[in-house]
Amino acid sequence: MNKAIRILRDEHRSLAAVLHGLRHLAQASLDAGVQPRFEVFRAMIRYIDEFPERLHHPKEDACLFARLVARAPETRPLIEVLRAEHVESAQRVRALERALDEYERSWPHWSGPFLAAVEDYVEFHRRHMQREELEVLPAAERVLSDDDWRAIEEAFAGNADPIADLREQDLARLYTRIVSLAPAPIGLGARWDSAPT
Ligand SMILES: [Fe+2]
Ligand SMILES: [Fe+2]
Protein backbone atom coordinates (compact mmCIF):
# COMPACT_ATOMS: atom_id res chain seq x y z
CA MET A 1 0.00 0.00 0.00
CA ASN A 2 1.48 3.40 -0.90
CA LYS A 3 1.96 6.14 1.69
CA ALA A 4 -0.88 8.37 0.43
CA ILE A 5 -3.40 5.53 0.72
CA ARG A 6 -2.10 4.65 4.17
CA ILE A 7 -2.54 8.27 5.36
CA LEU A 8 -6.04 8.47 3.88
CA ARG A 9 -7.09 5.22 5.55
CA ASP A 10 -5.55 6.36 8.86
CA GLU A 11 -7.54 9.59 8.68
CA HIS A 12 -10.70 7.56 8.11
CA ARG A 13 -9.84 5.39 11.15
CA SER A 14 -9.37 8.47 13.41
CA LEU A 15 -12.70 9.86 12.31
CA ALA A 16 -14.40 6.46 12.67
CA ALA A 17 -13.03 6.18 16.23
CA VAL A 18 -14.62 9.49 17.24
CA LEU A 19 -17.88 8.60 15.47
CA HIS A 20 -17.94 5.30 17.35
CA GLY A 21 -17.27 7.10 20.65
CA LEU A 22 -20.01 9.64 19.99
CA ARG A 23 -22.57 6.94 19.20
CA HIS A 24 -21.54 4.88 22.24
CA LEU A 25 -21.93 7.83 24.63
CA ALA A 26 -25.21 8.95 23.04
CA GLN A 27 -26.52 5.40 23.58
CA ALA A 28 -25.22 5.35 27.17
CA SER A 29 -26.98 8.64 27.90
CA LEU A 30 -30.39 7.09 27.11
CA ASP A 31 -30.12 5.83 30.68
CA ALA A 32 -31.98 8.50 32.65
CA GLY A 33 -29.80 7.69 35.66
CA VAL A 34 -26.69 9.08 33.94
CA GLN A 35 -25.85 12.75 33.71
CA PRO A 36 -24.02 13.35 30.43
CA ARG A 37 -21.10 15.78 30.29
CA PHE A 38 -22.10 17.92 27.36
CA GLU A 39 -18.60 19.27 26.80
CA VAL A 40 -17.54 15.77 25.74
CA PHE A 41 -20.28 15.65 23.09
CA ARG A 42 -19.32 19.17 22.04
CA ALA A 43 -15.62 18.32 21.64
CA MET A 44 -16.50 15.22 19.60
CA ILE A 45 -18.83 17.12 17.29
CA ARG A 46 -16.23 19.84 16.86
CA TYR A 47 -13.71 17.20 15.78
CA ILE A 48 -16.22 15.61 13.39
CA ASP A 49 -16.81 19.08 11.94
CA GLU A 50 -13.24 20.33 11.68
CA PHE A 51 -11.27 17.23 10.81
CA PRO A 52 -13.09 16.56 7.51
CA GLU A 53 -13.81 20.21 6.75
CA ARG A 54 -10.38 21.66 7.37
CA LEU A 55 -8.09 18.78 6.65
CA HIS A 56 -9.44 15.66 5.03
CA HIS A 57 -12.01 16.72 2.44
CA PRO A 58 -9.93 19.58 0.94
CA LYS A 59 -7.07 17.13 0.28
CA GLU A 60 -9.42 14.60 -1.31
CA ASP A 61 -11.15 17.23 -3.45
CA ALA A 62 -8.11 19.15 -4.65
CA CYS A 63 -5.71 16.33 -5.12
CA LEU A 64 -6.98 12.76 -5.22
CA PHE A 65 -10.37 13.37 -6.86
CA ALA A 66 -9.07 15.92 -9.37
CA ARG A 67 -6.29 13.62 -10.57
CA LEU A 68 -8.56 10.59 -10.71
CA VAL A 69 -11.15 12.36 -12.89
CA ALA A 70 -8.39 13.63 -15.19
CA ARG A 71 -6.99 10.11 -15.72
CA ALA A 72 -10.28 8.21 -15.68
CA PRO A 73 -13.19 10.41 -16.84
CA GLU A 74 -15.60 7.50 -16.32
CA THR A 75 -15.21 8.03 -12.55
CA ARG A 76 -16.69 11.56 -12.81
CA PRO A 77 -20.27 10.58 -11.72
CA LEU A 78 -18.91 8.82 -8.63
CA ILE A 79 -16.61 11.73 -7.77
CA GLU A 80 -19.45 14.22 -8.20
CA VAL A 81 -21.54 12.28 -5.67
CA LEU A 82 -18.65 12.21 -3.20
CA ARG A 83 -17.92 15.94 -3.63
CA ALA A 84 -21.61 16.70 -3.03
CA GLU A 85 -21.45 14.57 0.12
CA HIS A 86 -18.54 16.69 1.37
CA VAL A 87 -20.84 19.72 1.17
CA GLU A 88 -23.76 17.77 2.66
CA SER A 89 -21.55 16.56 5.51
CA ALA A 90 -21.00 20.15 6.72
CA GLN A 91 -24.76 20.78 6.65
CA ARG A 92 -25.46 17.57 8.54
CA VAL A 93 -22.98 18.56 11.26
CA ARG A 94 -24.98 21.79 11.74
CA ALA A 95 -28.09 19.62 12.31
CA LEU A 96 -26.13 17.55 14.82
CA GLU A 97 -25.08 20.70 16.69
CA ARG A 98 -28.69 21.89 16.82
CA ALA A 99 -29.74 18.47 18.17
CA LEU A 100 -27.07 18.72 20.88
CA ASP A 101 -28.18 22.26 21.84
CA GLU A 102 -31.77 21.04 22.14
CA TYR A 103 -30.68 18.01 24.18
CA GLU A 104 -28.68 20.16 26.60
CA ARG A 105 -31.63 22.55 27.01
CA SER A 106 -34.16 19.74 27.45
CA TRP A 107 -32.14 17.24 29.49
CA PRO A 108 -33.17 14.81 31.04
CA HIS A 109 -35.49 14.66 28.01
CA TRP A 110 -34.51 14.45 24.34
CA SER A 111 -31.81 11.76 24.63
CA GLY A 112 -33.74 9.69 22.03
CA PRO A 113 -33.88 12.37 19.31
CA PHE A 114 -30.21 13.22 19.99
CA LEU A 115 -29.21 9.56 19.55
CA ALA A 116 -31.28 9.41 16.33
CA ALA A 117 -29.43 12.49 14.97
CA VAL A 118 -26.07 10.95 15.91
CA GLU A 119 -26.91 7.60 14.27
CA ASP A 120 -28.07 9.37 11.14
CA TYR A 121 -24.77 11.22 10.81
CA VAL A 122 -22.61 8.21 11.70
CA GLU A 123 -24.33 6.07 9.06
CA PHE A 124 -24.02 8.81 6.42
CA HIS A 125 -20.31 9.25 7.02
CA ARG A 126 -19.62 5.52 7.33
CA ARG A 127 -21.14 4.95 3.87
CA HIS A 128 -19.15 7.87 2.44
CA MET A 129 -15.81 6.54 3.71
CA GLN A 130 -16.70 3.03 2.56
CA ARG A 131 -17.34 4.22 -0.99
CA GLU A 132 -13.99 6.01 -1.03
CA GLU A 133 -12.16 2.93 0.17
CA LEU A 134 -14.00 0.39 -1.98
CA GLU A 135 -14.50 2.40 -5.17
CA VAL A 136 -12.16 5.42 -5.34
CA LEU A 137 -8.94 3.90 -4.03
CA PRO A 138 -8.99 0.78 -6.24
CA ALA A 139 -9.71 2.98 -9.31
CA ALA A 140 -6.90 5.36 -8.30
CA GLU A 141 -4.49 2.47 -7.86
CA ARG A 142 -5.32 1.30 -11.37
CA VAL A 143 -4.88 4.59 -13.24
CA LEU A 144 -2.65 7.04 -11.35
CA SER A 145 1.01 7.41 -12.24
CA ASP A 146 3.96 7.52 -9.85
CA ASP A 147 4.07 11.31 -10.31
CA ASP A 148 0.39 11.56 -9.36
CA TRP A 149 0.99 9.53 -6.21
CA ARG A 150 3.99 11.62 -5.24
CA ALA A 151 1.89 14.82 -5.47
CA ILE A 152 -1.00 13.23 -3.55
CA GLU A 153 1.40 11.97 -0.91
CA GLU A 154 2.85 15.48 -0.47
CA ALA A 155 -0.64 16.92 -0.02
CA PHE A 156 -1.78 14.19 2.36
CA ALA A 157 1.36 14.36 4.48
CA GLY A 158 0.77 18.13 4.84
CA ASN A 159 4.34 18.82 3.68
CA ALA A 160 3.28 21.12 0.90
CA ASP A 161 1.17 23.33 3.15
CA PRO A 162 2.48 24.64 6.50
CA ILE A 163 -1.03 25.86 7.40
CA ALA A 164 -2.38 22.33 6.98
CA ASP A 165 0.36 21.13 9.30
CA LEU A 166 -0.69 23.64 11.98
CA ARG A 167 -4.32 22.57 11.59
CA GLU A 168 -3.26 18.97 11.96
CA GLN A 169 -1.48 19.79 15.24
CA ASP A 170 -4.62 21.60 16.47
CA LEU A 171 -6.76 18.63 15.63
CA ALA A 172 -4.33 16.22 17.26
CA ARG A 173 -4.67 18.30 20.45
CA LEU A 174 -8.46 18.20 20.17
CA TYR A 175 -8.33 14.41 19.72
CA THR A 176 -6.19 14.11 22.87
CA ARG A 177 -8.71 16.26 24.74
CA ILE A 178 -11.56 13.99 23.65
CA VAL A 179 -9.66 10.94 24.87
CA SER A 180 -8.88 12.62 28.21
CA LEU A 181 -12.50 13.77 28.75
CA ALA A 182 -14.55 10.83 27.49
CA PRO A 183 -15.36 8.15 30.07
CA ALA A 184 -14.31 4.49 29.63
CA PRO A 185 -14.46 2.49 27.45
CA ILE A 186 -14.10 5.38 24.97
CA GLY A 187 -11.48 7.46 26.78
CA LEU A 188 -9.70 8.00 30.07
CA GLY A 189 -12.04 10.60 31.62
CA ALA A 190 -14.07 10.36 34.82
CA ARG A 191 -17.25 8.28 34.87
CA TRP A 192 -20.40 10.23 34.19
CA ASP A 193 -22.14 10.84 37.50
CA SER A 194 -25.53 9.52 38.38
CA ALA A 195 -28.21 12.06 37.75
CA PRO A 196 -29.52 13.78 40.88
CA THR A 197 -32.83 12.24 41.94
FE1 LIG B 1 -14.52 12.15 1.42
FE1 LIG C 1 -12.41 10.41 3.03
Side-chain angles (χ1 to χ4, degrees):
M1 189 189 298
N2 74 43
K3 194 174 161 199
I5 292 182
R6 204 170 54 243
I7 294 170
L8 185 135
R9 285 183 189 273
D10 281 351
E11 290 186 357
H12 282 181
R13 296 293 86 80
S14 303
L15 193 56
V18 176
L19 291 172
H20 168 78
L22 176 64
R23 173 153 59 185
H24 180 93
L25 294 177
Q27 275 164 349
S29 70
L30 285 180
D31 179 350
V34 166
Q35 180 155 23
R37 289 184 60 193
F38 288 98
E39 75 267 33
V40 179
F41 285 135
R42 222 164 274 293
M44 287 174 148
I45 292 174
R46 201 181 130 213
Y47 186 88
I48 287 164
D49 185 25
E50 294 197 1
F51 184 88
E53 279 307 294
R54 293 218 257 155
L55 204 72
H56 184 74
H57 292 164
K59 292 191 292 194
E60 288 178 335
D61 284 337
C63 211
L64 176 63
F65 290 177
R67 281 171 191 266
L68 180 59
V69 168
R71 302 268 181 208
E74 70 280 9
T75 61
R76 184 178 292 280
L78 166 66
I79 295 304
E80 278 174 1
V81 169
L82 295 171
R83 281 187 196 276
E85 285 179 354
H86 287 176
V87 176
E88 190 184 340
S89 165
Q91 293 157 354
R92 282 173 173 261
V93 173
R94 300 285 86 78
L96 201 51
E97 284 169 343
R98 285 195 296 276
L100 178 59
D101 290 344
E102 186 59 46
Y103 181 28
E104 191 166 8
R105 261 197 304 275
S106 312
W107 188 84
H109 307 290
W110 241 73
S111 55
F114 177 63
L115 174 61
V118 166
E119 291 196 320
D120 201 46
Y121 184 82
V122 170
E123 183 52 25
F124 164 78
H125 216 109
R126 190 193 61 76
R127 260 185 287 119
H128 177 81
M129 294 192 289
Q130 195 178 46
R131 277 196 100 175
E132 288 175 343
E133 296 198 14
L134 297 181
E135 297 177 52
V136 172
L137 294 181
E141 280 185 294
R142 271 196 306 276
V143 300
L144 296 187
S145 67
D146 289 347
D147 278 354
D148 288 327
W149 283 118
R150 255 191 300 279
I152 294 170
E153 207 172 279
E154 279 276 295
F156 270 80
N159 298 339
D161 178 0
I163 302 290
D165 193 38
L166 283 179
R167 287 174 183 157
E168 196 147 359
Q169 289 172 25
D170 258 9
L171 286 159
R173 271 195 291 274
L174 179 58
Y175 191 87
T176 306
R177 182 174 143 77
I178 290 168
V179 172
S180 64
L181 282 177
I186 300 305
L188 307 168
R191 260 189 51 176
W192 283 354
D193 297 331
S194 299
T197 48

